[in-house]
Amino acid sequence: MDVDKSEGNRDDISSNVVKIPERMLLREQARLDEVERRKEAKESHSVADENSEFFTKAFNRDRAAIEDLISICSGADRGSATQTLDAATAKTQQLQKFLNDSMMFLAQYELRQAQAALQKLQTSLAEKRDEALPKKKFAFRSRTKATEQVDDTVPATLAGETVIDGQTPAASDIGKVEETVQCGFSNMDDVVLTKTAGEINKNDVLLSQLTNCKVRLFGSPSTLHIKNVSGCEILCGPVSGSVFVDHCSNTTLVLPCQQLRTHNTTSTQVYLHVTSRAIIEDCHGVSFAPFTWSYPTLDEDYVVSGLDLARNNWSHVDDFNWLAATQSPNWALIPVEDRKTTWET
């Protein structure tokens, strides 16, 4: 009996000796798998499980790299500057996506700091592009000879007036000696204005000094600037970057974009698809609803823009003039029953 017990004990001991290393190996393998998973997540900027310290370090590192690219454009030839600025633009878009993906764990203060830094970076990039790659100029002038040759960049003139996109500018503009070519419309009242996808073609678009106009922008702009407009209805295809609105009143805006920044705007409705967040500052009476415009090539334009159809933060609005935890009085959601769903195209 004693011998049998001893042998039984030895069998139990031997069994335990085998089981303990196996458990340790499994635990060690699990630890190594977790280390590899975290390494891959950091390398791909998949930061869903990372903390704000990692975000801050990565964001500042990438921002510094973009600033270096912008700085080396000074004095470079046009070809080199174009290549460098295109690389900086691509990195800026990646940084914007990194910020969008990190919003779930960032505090409001950290988010606003990062958004302000990114906006400053985008402004520096735009200024450097204007400096290093100046756009061609044109002069308003009358056609004095039937055989006069006009450069392709100069809009056609008729009887001393310049016609731009089918419209005649205000009389005060006719006397201007020189003006930078823009993709967009300026200084017009009570007209319907349209740009095709071919005309926009990933360009920056400017709408300024418009009153009581209906604007339809098909295609995918790179950025959209809306300045000093009143009583207008502006519908735009997917904007791959940011939309900047300044001094807008009694207007309806219908657009998808990566980011919306709105300043000095009153009594304006925004039908929005935004993949990051909407930002307002010095605004009141601004209301929001989801994007509802549709046209035949909209899906194709979304592909060109790179916007994520599944991500829409139209109701998430940051008011930089309202830091309290309560709802800002400067903006609201448009009631469902009051939302417009069809638009003239």
Side-chain angles (χ1 to χ4, degrees), residues 53-91:
E53 182 180 357
F54 167 73
F55 168 82
T56 300
K57 289 181 180 178
F59 184 90
N60 290 336
R61 181 191 64 232
D62 292 352
R63 182 181 65 173
I66 296 169
E67 289 172 344
D68 289 342
L69 286 174
I70 295 174
S71 66
I72 64 176
C73 289
S74 299
D77 61 80
R78 189 177 183 90
S80 298
T82 299
Q83 186 176 4
T84 303
L85 289 172
D86 286 347
T89 299
K91 287 182 177 294

Side-chain angles (χ1 to χ4, degrees), residues 50-303:
E50 300 296 340
N51 57 29
S52 59
E53 182 180 357
F54 167 73
F55 168 82
T56 300
K57 289 181 180 178
F59 184 90
N60 290 336
R61 181 191 64 232
D62 292 352
R63 182 181 65 173
I66 296 169
E67 289 172 344
D68 289 342
L69 286 174
I70 295 174
S71 66
I72 64 176
C73 289
S74 299
D77 61 80
R78 189 177 183 90
S80 298
T82 299
Q83 186 176 4
T84 303
L85 289 172
D86 286 347
T89 299
K91 287 182 177 294
T92 302
Q93 292 173 346
Q94 292 172 0
L95 190 60
Q96 175 72 69
K97 185 178 185 303
F98 179 38
L99 175 58
N100 295 346
D101 293 341
S102 306
M103 287 181 178
M104 65 185 71
F105 62 78
L106 290 179
Q108 283 296 311
Y109 173 74
E110 295 173 317
L111 175 60
R112 288 172 180 170
Q113 274 198 323
Q115 288 174 330
L118 186 59
Q119 174 59 35
K120 184 178 179 181
L121 193 64
Q122 291 170 334
T123 301
S124 298
L125 183 58
E127 291 175 349
K128 181 59 68 174
R129 187 177 291 277
D130 289 342
E131 173 190 324
L133 307 172
K135 296 179 180 178
K136 294 181 180 180
K137 306 286 186 174
F138 70 88
F140 289 103
R141 57 189 177 185
S142 299
R143 182 171 298 179
T144 57
K145 298 179 181 179
T147 57
E148 181 180 357
Q149 297 296 316
V150 182
D151 185 83
D152 289 340
T153 60
V154 181
T157 57
L158 180 61
E161 293 183 336
T162 303
V163 179
I164 304 177
D165 296 299
Q167 302 298 327
T168 302
S172 59
D173 290 335
I174 301 299
K176 290 182 179 178
V177 176
E178 200 171 64
E179 189 169 310
T180 302
V181 174
Q182 293 281 357
C183 179
F185 304 99
S186 297
N187 302 296
M188 297 185 184
D189 301 335
D190 303 297
V191 289
V192 176
L193 305 167
T194 302
K195 284 283 186 185
T196 66
E199 291 173 309
I200 287 178
N201 191 28
K202 298 284 286 182
N203 282 316
D204 295 338
V205 176
L206 170 65
L207 304 176
S208 66
Q209 304 294 341
L210 303 179
T211 304
N212 298 327
C213 293
K214 286 191 175 183
V215 183
R216 302 293 184 265
L217 304 175
F218 299 92
S220 176
S222 176
T223 59
L224 174 62
H225 298 261
I226 302 173
K227 300 180 180 180
N228 300 305
V229 301
S230 177
C232 293
E233 183 181 88
I234 300 172
L235 279 61
C236 182
V239 181
S240 60
S242 298
V243 174
F244 303 97
V245 181
D246 192 19
H247 287 91
C248 179
S249 64
N250 301 305
T251 289
T252 299
L253 306 175
V254 186
L255 45 88
C257 60
Q258 187 179 82
Q259 182 186 56
L260 174 68
R261 297 185 65 92
T262 306
H263 299 268
N264 306 299
T265 292
T266 60
S267 303
T268 291
Q269 292 188 334
V270 184
Y271 288 78
L272 182 65
H273 177 181
V274 62
T275 56
S276 57
R277 296 175 75 92
I279 297 171
I280 65 172
E281 189 170 10
D282 300 324
C283 299
H284 66 268
V286 181
S287 54
F288 294 85
F291 177 75
T292 56
W293 188 33
S294 180
Y295 56 89
T297 60
L298 178 62
D299 290 341
E300 298 173 19
D301 294 336
Y302 260 107
V303 173

Side-chain angles (χ1 to χ4, degrees), residues 24-36:
M24 292 178 65
L25 286 172
L26 291 173
R27 186 181 303 166
E28 177 64 13
Q29 185 60 49
R31 187 187 70 80
L32 292 175
D33 290 344
E34 177 65 13
V35 169
E36 185 63 24

